[in-house]
Structures are given as C-alpha cells and as structure tokens.
Amino acid sequence: MNKFVFVAASMMGVAMHGHANEDIAQQANYNELGDLLTVSQAEGRFAWLAKCYDGLLVEIWEQMYNTTEIVPKDQKLNQLKALWLTPNKAQYLTFANSDFSNPYGWQAGNSDTEACSTMPPEYVPVALQTTQLTHEYCANKSFDNEWEWIEKVTVEDFVHESLSHDYTAVSGKVITLPAGRTVKMSVTPGNKEPEYPSYVALRVWIDWNQDGQLAANEIVYKSASDAPFQFTFDVPTDAVDGVTLMRVASDAGGGSDDACKRTLYGEVEDYLVTIR
C-alpha cells in the first residue's frame, strides 16, 4: 500500500447555515464509509491495528515523519498513538477503495480482543476521522433483511438511499435540527417484491437529552403501513445542543418501543444529528 489520503475531519467543525430555510443536511468533511466510533472504540481500533496491522501503521508513521533516524517499531507506534488519541477525543483510521467506496463492507476491529480479519487487498487507509459520539449506544440489527429493509430516508433536504442491510451506520453526513422547529421526514421501506409490499412497523428515536439512551419517550414517530411513511415531528426547544443519535427501525415483525430489542424482519439505521 503506497497511497495514503488523510482527512482530519470533525463534524462539529462543519459550518452551519444561519437560516432555517436552508439545507439542514450538512456534508461532513470526510467520506461516507459507515464507520463511526466513540473515543473508547477508537482507542480499541488503534489497539486492534497495532495487533493485526502493525506493519501498516509503521508504514504510515514513516510516510508522516520521513526521518532518516533509526527508530524502533514500538516507538513509532507509541508516537502515532500519542498523536491520534487524547483523553477527550480520538482520531482513527478507516479503510476503503482509493475511490472512497467500501464495496465489501469490511471494517477494522474496535477492540484488541477481536480476531484479526484480512483486509481486501485493494483497500487503503483513506481517512483520519474525529470521533463524535460521547456515548456508545446499544447495538441493534435485524435477524432477517432478505425481504424487507430501509431503502430511503429523507429529513427535509437530507437524503440517504441504500440497499438491503441488517444494520447501517450513516456517518458521512450530519442532519442539523434547529431547536423548536417542525421537521418533515419520510422513510421508504424496501421490498424484495415491490408489487407486493410488506406491512411493516416503523419507529424513529432521537436521543434529545444526549444521555446515551434511546428511551421510549424519545420516539418521534411510530406507525405501521405497506406504503412509504411521511410525517413531521417537533424538535424540543429544550433539546441539548450538540451531536446525538437518531435511530430508524423498520420491522415486518411488529417491532418494539425498546430501541435495543433486536428487530425481526427489516433494518436498523443510525444517523448523526446536530441540535442547534
């Protein structure tokens, strides 16, 4: 691997529009790879890379520092760790093709206890991203996404479309929600046989108080239909400013108000939201 494209990015630093009628979808300054970590997970990512791909980290160090001195490998790794990890924030490598796509959905581990996996040979490190979420949210995904999934989500002018997955972390864009505003949203379910659409339940949670929990009283929409969902919700005037999580879950099995209870037939998608 001899091509490195590093983008030091922070969604908190994305310039926000000052007018309510402008786009609320803000493009982050890095590529959409669906790879978002908390600080502790980013520290685990570095430990995993040091265990599984220490040669890659050494090569990155050598390209960054370009020194003629003889420096031991452990020292190089420690210098990278000190550069990327601090007590309050962390940066970490993510990987994809040189065109910034991730066609195989490969992810590096987030803990040194995870087994090493083989990176697709054409993948390169393409971004040095800044961790955003303070809390680690409960994991969720569907047991089966063959027949039903989430095909499209829109929030005002923000649009995200995808194919069938059991879970998707949408990390390349930030949705900005001004406090006190009424927001239009739509969710289009995907169906293996579109001419015979499934009857699915939909729930949308937003962690308004940013406590790391998606509580039942934070459900902003709940319904069931065999057609696309179109609705509005109000952003609380007392919602805590900053970056938080929105979870969208579709389930042909009925679903649950518990955002941590695993979905039966459908998909779960997590989005970053900035409250302003």
Side-chain angles (χ1 to χ4, degrees):
M1 295 182 182
N2 56 12
K3 179 181 179 182
F4 299 100
V5 182
F6 298 112
V7 183
S10 170
M11 289 194 233
M12 293 292 287
V14 174
M16 299 299 173
H17 293 303
H19 302 289
N21 60 348
E22 294 192 61
D23 292 353
I24 64 171
Q26 305 297 323
Q27 186 71 40
N29 291 325
Y30 59 84
N31 304 285
E32 187 170 358
L33 299 174
D35 190 18
L36 179 73
L37 307 183
T38 63
V39 171
S40 61
Q41 289 172 328
E43 292 171 346
R45 168 67 56 86
F46 187 90
W48 187 90
L49 289 169
K51 178 183 74 171
C52 302
Y53 284 92
D54 59 340
L56 174 62
L57 294 184
V58 167
E59 185 177 352
I60 291 172
W61 182 95
E62 291 172 347
Q63 293 200 21
M64 290 177 63
Y65 288 91
N66 193 28
T67 180
T68 57
E69 299 179 12
I70 298 177
V71 180
K73 180 181 72 175
D74 290 346
Q75 184 176 339
K76 294 177 181 179
L77 297 180
N78 286 335
Q79 286 179 341
L80 281 181
K81 184 176 181 179
L83 177 65
W84 292 348
L85 305 177
T86 67
N88 298 318
K89 74 172 186 176
Q91 296 177 314
Y92 60 93
L93 286 173
T94 190
F95 303 83
N97 281 350
S98 56
D99 63 356
F100 306 117
S101 64
N102 185 10
Y104 303 113
W106 185 88
Q107 303 291 343
N110 297 338
S111 168
D112 59 0
T113 61
E114 295 182 42
C116 297
S117 59
T118 303
M119 186 191 309
E122 64 268 38
Y123 275 27
V124 294
V126 295
L128 189 63
Q129 302 181 342
T130 302
T131 304
Q132 292 302 312
L133 288 176
T134 302
H135 302 286
E136 180 178 351
Y137 288 84
C138 62
N140 198 345
K141 63 181 180 178
S142 67
F143 283 100
D144 190 321
N145 60 292
E146 179 182 359
W147 291 86
E148 299 91 9
W149 60 90
I150 297 173
E151 185 172 286
K152 183 178 181 180
V153 170
T154 68
V155 183
E156 297 288 346
D157 294 326
F158 168 91
V159 179
H160 179 262
E161 297 182 79
S162 61
L163 300 176
S164 176
H165 302 282
D166 56 5
Y167 171 76
T168 303
V170 184
S171 64
K173 295 179 180 178
V174 183
I175 303 171
T176 302
L177 300 179
R181 179 175 173 181
T182 298
V183 175
K184 293 185 298 183
M185 184 170 177
S186 68
V187 178
T188 303
N191 290 274
K192 186 174 182 179
E193 297 185 359
E195 63 275 22
Y196 303 108
S198 301
Y199 193 80
V200 301
L202 180 75
R203 287 171 176 81
V204 180
W205 297 261
I206 298 179
D207 183 15
W208 295 122
N209 61 5
Q210 298 181 34
D211 65 350
Q213 306 295 321
L214 295 164
N217 63 3
E218 292 178 311
I219 295 177
V220 300
Y221 183 73
K222 173 182 175 180
S223 188
S225 176
D226 59 359
F229 300 88
Q230 297 183 350
F231 53 94
T232 63
F233 63 86
D234 295 328
V235 182
T237 56
D238 59 350
V240 178
D241 288 352
V243 176
T244 190
L245 192 81
M246 177 176 76
R247 174 163 293 175
V248 182
S250 67
D251 191 352
S256 170
D257 290 352
D258 183 352
C260 301
K261 185 175 181 179
R262 192 164 176 186
T263 297
L264 296 176
Y265 310 107
E267 184 179 1
V268 178
E269 294 188 344
D270 284 344
Y271 293 81
L272 283 183
V273 172
T274 299
I275 309 298
R276 294 297 186 196

